[in-house]
Amino acid sequence: MSLHDDAVLVLKGYGDQEELRQVYLDHLDTHPDGVWKACGDGHITASALVIDPERGRVLLTLHRKLRMWLQMGGHCEPSDATLADAALREGTEESGVAGLTLLPGGPVRLDRHHTPCAWHLDVQYAALAPAGAVEAISDESLDLRWFAYDEVAGVADASVVRLVEATRARL
C-alpha cells in the first residue's frame, strides 16, 4: 500500500472535523502526489504532540523558520510507510526523545495552515514520552522546552492549544 492510499484510509476512518476531513480527501483525490512536498497546491504533513501525562506537560519546539512554538512535525518522506510512521519519525527527529509511542486511536486532530512552502494539510497525532525522556534540539529548532498544560496558551497559537486539549481528552 502506498503512503497516499494509507492517508486516504486514515482520513476515511477519522471521525471528527467532517468538513476539513473532506477537504483533505478531495485534495488526495485530485492530487496523486498530494502527500509529497513537491505538490505545490498543498500537501499532507504529519505531526506529533509529544506529551508526558504523568508530569502534565508537553514538549514544544521553537521552529527555526516560523519562529513559533509548535508540536513536532513536517513533510512526509519516501521512507514513511504510513502517516503514523511519518508522525513518529518527525516526533523523534525533532524532539530527540527515544522510545516515543503514538497514542492509540489514530490522529487526534486535523489542521490546515499556510506555510512559506505551500498549504499544509496536517494530520496531527500525539506521542507519549517514556519515563525519564531526555530531549535534544535538532537543526530545525531554535529551542525545545517542556510546558505545563496550562502554560501552552501563553506561548503557542490556537491550533496548538486545540491539539493539546484534544490530546488530553483522548488520554
Side-chain angles (χ1 to χ4, degrees):
M1 176 185 312
S2 71
L3 183 59
H4 184 280
D5 293 341
D6 175 74
V8 170
L9 284 176
V10 166
L11 290 163
K12 283 184 176 180
Y14 179 69
D16 203 1
Q17 297 176 270
E18 180 59 36
E19 189 174 314
L20 187 57
R21 181 180 78 94
Q22 193 59 52
V23 168
Y24 284 38
L25 287 168
D26 291 347
H27 175 78
L28 289 170
D29 188 47
T30 57
H31 295 88
D33 62 343
V35 296
W36 307 118
K37 184 178 180 180
C39 183
D41 286 339
H43 37 269
I44 301 290
T45 57
S47 65
L49 177 70
V50 176
I51 187 166
D52 178 358
E54 289 183 15
R55 297 178 69 183
R57 62 188 189 158
V58 297
L59 184 63
L60 299 179
T61 179
L62 184 56
H63 194 279
R64 182 173 295 281
K65 291 180 183 174
L66 300 178
R67 302 199 182 266
M68 297 170 62
W69 287 103
L70 301 169
Q71 74 277 8
M72 317 303 150
H75 297 108
C76 297
E77 302 286 343
S79 61
D80 299 323
T82 65
L83 284 181
D85 289 347
L88 193 56
R89 176 187 51 75
E90 286 285 341
T92 301
E93 286 176 1
E94 293 185 9
S95 72
V97 175
L100 294 175
T101 56
L102 292 182
L103 192 63
V108 175
R109 279 194 55 79
L110 305 177
D111 186 74
R112 181 178 184 258
H113 50 271
H114 198 265
T115 70
C117 77
W119 280 100
H120 279 184
L121 287 73
D122 198 30
V123 180
Q124 301 176 325
Y125 292 81
L128 299 170
V134 177
E135 68 278 5
I137 296 175
S138 76
D139 292 341
E140 296 182 38
S141 179
L142 294 171
D143 197 2
L144 200 58
R145 194 177 308 161
W146 290 99
F147 292 96
Y149 298 146
D150 63 359
E151 294 175 325
V152 173
V155 298
D157 71 7
S159 70
V160 178
V161 172
R162 287 190 299 268
L163 177 56
V164 171
E165 290 169 352
T167 298
R168 291 182 68 196
R170 173 87 62 91
L171 289 173

